[in-house]
Amino acid sequence: DGFIDFLEFIAAINLVIRGKIDQKLKWYFKLYDADGNGCIDKKELLSIFTAIQAINGHTNMSAEEFTNMIFQKIDVNNDGELTLEEFINGVESDEDLMELITKNFDLSNVLKVIQSGRRHSI
C-alpha cells in the first residue's frame, strides 16, 4: 500500500538477520526494484546502493563501481535490466558476489544505531 507498518518492518528486519539466503536475495531484489516492475535497472540499483552505503559507511567500492560490476557479472542477456531469476542465479553462482552483497547489505549497523537512539531516548 506504499507504507510500512511496524509489523512489516519487524518482519523485514527479521528476514535480513535470520532468513535463508534465497529469502534474503528475494527481499534484496524487491528492495532494489523501486518501481515494482519486476526488473532492476542500473538507476534503481545505484540509488538503493548509494543510500545503503551512506548508512553502513562501506567505502571500499563506489556506488557506480558496485552497480557496474553487478550488471557486468549477472545481466546475462545484456538488456540493462535484472530479472529476479538473473539476480538470484547470478548472485548464488558467484561466491565473491554473494559475499560482497551480504557484507554491503548487512543492516546490523542500522540496528545498532536504532537501539542506541532508543536507549538514549528512554
Side-chain angles (χ1 to χ4, degrees):
D1 64 3
F3 296 93
I4 297 174
D5 64 26
F6 184 70
L7 186 58
E8 290 170 324
F9 175 75
I10 295 301
I13 295 299
N14 186 55
L15 175 67
V16 170
I17 294 170
R18 295 193 176 101
K20 295 180 180 174
I21 195 62
D22 62 322
Q23 294 171 315
K24 289 180 183 183
L25 291 175
K26 285 178 185 175
W27 186 82
Y28 291 148
F29 184 87
K30 286 182 180 182
L31 177 69
Y32 305 146
D33 183 17
D35 63 10
N37 71 348
C39 293
I40 301 169
D41 62 34
K42 284 187 175 185
K43 183 179 175 184
E44 287 172 317
L45 185 60
L46 180 62
S47 175
I48 294 298
F49 185 70
T50 300
I52 291 176
Q53 190 177 43
I55 292 168
N56 279 341
H58 296 294
T59 57
N60 56 342
M61 184 181 296
S62 75
E64 293 82 7
E65 290 170 328
F66 176 82
T67 300
N68 290 333
M69 187 262 308
I70 295 289
F71 273 83
Q72 197 172 40
K73 286 187 173 216
I74 64 178
D75 184 14
V76 293
N77 62 1
N78 293 313
D79 66 352
E81 294 184 328
L82 302 175
T83 63
L84 176 61
E85 183 179 350
E86 279 178 313
F87 181 74
I88 289 176
N89 290 341
V91 174
E92 285 184 336
S93 66
D94 187 320
E95 198 172 301
D96 293 333
L97 187 54
M98 177 74 82
E99 183 179 331
L100 180 65
I101 285 186
T102 302
K103 179 182 174 188
N104 282 305
F105 292 96
D106 174 13
L107 298 177
S108 58
N109 288 339
V110 176
L111 292 175
K112 287 177 188 172
V113 169
I114 291 169
Q115 289 175 332
S116 175
R118 181 168 167 79
R119 283 190 199 120
H120 293 303
S121 66
I122 294 178

